Amino acid sequence: MNNKKLKVLIFSHQLDRSGAPTSLLNILKSLYEKKYKVDVISARGGELADKYKDVSSSLQILEDNDSPTLFSRFVGFFKLLKMIRKLSPDVILINTSINLRAHLACYILRVPFVVYVRESEDMLKSRLGYFRKKSLKLASKIVPVSNYSSQWVSKYVEPKKIDVIHNGVQINNIKYLLHDNGDTILVGIIGYMSKRKGIDYFAQIINKLMNISDKYKFLIIGDFVDEAEKSIFFDSVKGHENNISVTGIVENVYPEINKCDLVVMTSREESLPRSVMEASLLSKPVVAFDIAGTKEMLPLNYDYLVSPFDINEFVDKTVNLSKKNIIKTIGEENRKYITENFSLDITISKIENVMKEVVEDAKLK
């Protein structure tokens, strides 16, 4: 195999600050630093669009409308075919399994393509979900981000096409001075707050913890999906509003995570929640529902995974973890596990190898 850099096209469903586009941006940055020619097409835009533009050869948005019609999707499919033909990539990396149009376009144009599967099977419940899952078999390779995801993917794709590559984080130079909250226990939660993220569970947890002790405070690192969700949440924690802060969307989550004593993950559905990696990297212990691939990012037999969706057990484990000496010990163990197993450099190397492999295989056919 020669050392010529591949022409890579990345297709994303959106460019907002949610987990999948954020993770993809880190991959794109690394490929850019390695002098790959990487073009990006996204079905929709988002807050990260300018950052994508800075580290790509070109960025094109397929649809300006956040609520596309059936007709605009149909037109968008032919626009996508035209864009791919013009860019003429060696390989296409499709970010997430929900991009049915991208799967079909790559197959029609006979371009080798890799699908990054960041979803649990339950997250593909829409009317098109069945076809999205079935279309995975058209891909040259499937890259699930967790062993959990690979299990459902294997129902639709032959095993030899599946390579699990866990998400990674940049572990170099992520160091912050120890933040001391005194007697207060600051509990953080990270992301776009919604029902899928278990914001209703988080409200129940807040109410129960505040009934136990007034030492607890809560920090939402991120924001709500919409004002309706926010209104429902604050209605359900009436009387405790002064103990809850919301950062809004922040450029860098690490300084906010560093303020916390511990982080919770209350999601109903995930594949490999990035918030667990980010918290662990800063030695912040995590209490999380034991869903999907969450346990894959934590040490073996981790004591603070909670049966879905047992609020009383979640509260008990949070109270147990609130002791300062336990926080420090568990936090350090989690950081050690992340730095040894989830380096972004290793993730990028594996993705490069998969892309090279599918290009070589395509040449032999």
Side-chain angles (χ1 to χ4, degrees):
M1 188 182 299
N2 63 48
N3 292 321
K4 181 183 175 183
K5 296 290 186 184
L6 298 174
K7 286 174 60 180
V8 179
L9 171 61
I10 287 177
F11 187 95
S12 183
H13 63 307
Q14 59 194 26
L15 301 178
D16 65 10
R17 291 185 182 275
S18 57
T22 300
S23 178
L24 181 64
L25 179 60
N26 290 327
I27 293 170
L28 178 58
K29 286 177 180 176
S30 294
L31 293 175
Y32 179 79
E33 289 168 1
K34 292 186 174 187
K35 308 300 182 185
Y36 279 86
K37 182 184 186 301
V38 184
D39 298 290
V40 178
I41 298 173
S42 182
R44 293 181 295 281
E47 307 97 321
L48 294 178
D50 287 342
K51 291 188 176 297
Y52 270 78
K53 192 178 295 183
D54 289 343
V55 290
S56 60
S57 299
S58 69
L59 169 63
Q60 300 179 71
I61 307 298
L62 201 57
E63 295 161 347
D64 296 326
N65 190 347
D66 286 338
S67 301
T69 63
L70 183 61
F71 178 74
S72 70
R73 288 181 184 276
F74 182 75
V75 172
F77 177 68
F78 289 98
K79 283 176 62 178
L80 178 59
L81 288 172
K82 185 177 179 181
M83 289 175 181
I84 294 173
R85 279 201 190 100
K86 184 176 180 181
L87 292 169
S88 188
D90 295 313
V91 61
I92 298 179
L93 178 63
I94 300 176
N95 194 39
T96 84
S97 56
I98 67 174
N99 292 308
L100 177 59
R101 286 180 297 176
H103 302 174
L104 297 176
C106 293
Y107 182 72
I108 289 169
L109 296 174
R110 294 293 188 266
V111 181
F113 69 104
V114 178
V115 178
Y116 227 132
V117 177
R118 301 180 183 276
E119 299 82 16
S120 66
E121 187 172 12
D122 287 343
M123 293 165 73
L124 280 77
K125 287 181 177 176
S126 70
R127 286 175 295 176
L128 289 175
Y130 173 80
F131 298 102
R132 286 168 173 159
K133 289 182 280 191
K134 284 291 187 180
S135 71
L136 292 175
K137 67 174 59 177
L138 303 176
S140 310
K141 276 282 186 181
I142 304 294
V143 175
V145 296
S146 66
N147 294 317
Y148 171 85
S149 294
S150 73
Q151 291 171 12
W152 76 258
V153 169
S154 65
K155 292 190 287 186
Y156 305 95
V157 180
E158 54 190 321
K160 68 179 182 180
K161 278 191 174 185
I162 301 171
D163 280 348
V164 176
I165 302 178
H166 289 92
N167 281 340
V169 285
Q170 186 58 260
I171 62 176
N172 299 324
N173 303 319
I174 304 294
K175 295 178 182 177
Y176 291 88
L177 294 175
L178 182 65
H179 192 92
D180 187 0
N181 291 313
D183 293 333
T184 296
I185 300 295
L186 184 60
V187 179
I189 188 170
I190 308 166
Y192 276 105
M193 298 299 107
S194 64
K195 187 171 182 180
R196 186 175 76 80
K197 291 291 184 181
I199 193 62
D200 52 332
Y201 295 144
F202 186 48
Q204 294 177 55
I205 291 162
I206 289 172
N207 288 330
K208 286 181 176 292
L209 286 173
M210 292 303 298
N211 286 335
I212 293 170
S213 172
D214 61 2
K215 70 179 178 181
Y216 290 100
K217 291 187 181 297
F218 306 90
L219 181 63
I220 296 173
I221 304 171
D223 213 333
F224 290 80
V225 168
D226 56 47
E227 286 301 314
E229 296 266 15
K230 186 174 183 178
S231 178
I232 291 169
F233 171 76
F234 277 103
D235 281 346
S236 62
V237 292
K238 275 198 178 302
H240 305 314
E241 298 96 326
N242 292 339
N243 287 61
I244 304 168
S245 301
V246 182
T247 66
I249 300 303
V250 292
E251 187 71 22
N252 181 2
V253 297
Y254 287 124
E256 302 300 330
I257 294 172
N258 193 53
K259 296 174 184 176
C260 302
D261 291 290
L262 59 94
V263 169
V264 298
M265 199 284 291
T266 60
S267 295
R268 285 175 163 81
E269 297 174 335
E270 292 283 353
S271 183
L272 198 76
R274 184 174 181 81
S275 60
V276 175
M277 281 191 282
E278 292 168 333
S280 296
L281 189 59
L282 291 191
S283 301
K284 305 300 177 179
V286 175
V287 183
F289 285 126
D290 187 5
I291 61 165
T294 304
K295 68 176 60 176
E296 296 175 39
M297 292 179 293
L298 294 163
L300 191 64
N301 300 320
Y302 187 69
D303 285 336
Y304 298 95
L305 283 173
V306 179
S307 307
F309 294 95
D310 189 328
I311 301 301
N312 289 330
E313 182 187 352
F314 202 111
V315 170
D316 288 344
K317 287 188 180 291
T318 303
V319 170
N320 180 268
L321 190 54
S322 299
K323 300 164 188 172
K324 294 288 184 176
N325 61 326
I326 296 179
I327 286 174
K328 185 174 186 297
T329 301
I330 300 298
E332 288 174 351
E333 289 173 359
N334 289 5
R335 175 178 167 80
K336 183 174 184 289
Y337 191 79
I338 286 293
T339 55
E340 288 178 354
N341 296 281
F342 292 89
S343 165
L344 182 61
D345 292 339
I346 294 172
T347 298
I348 298 299
S349 178
K350 289 179 177 179
I351 291 170
E352 285 183 276
N353 289 336
V354 166
M355 292 193 298
K356 290 173 183 176
E357 179 187 335
V358 300
V359 170
E360 289 299 312
D361 286 348
K363 289 177 181 177
L364 297 174
K365 291 180 180 178

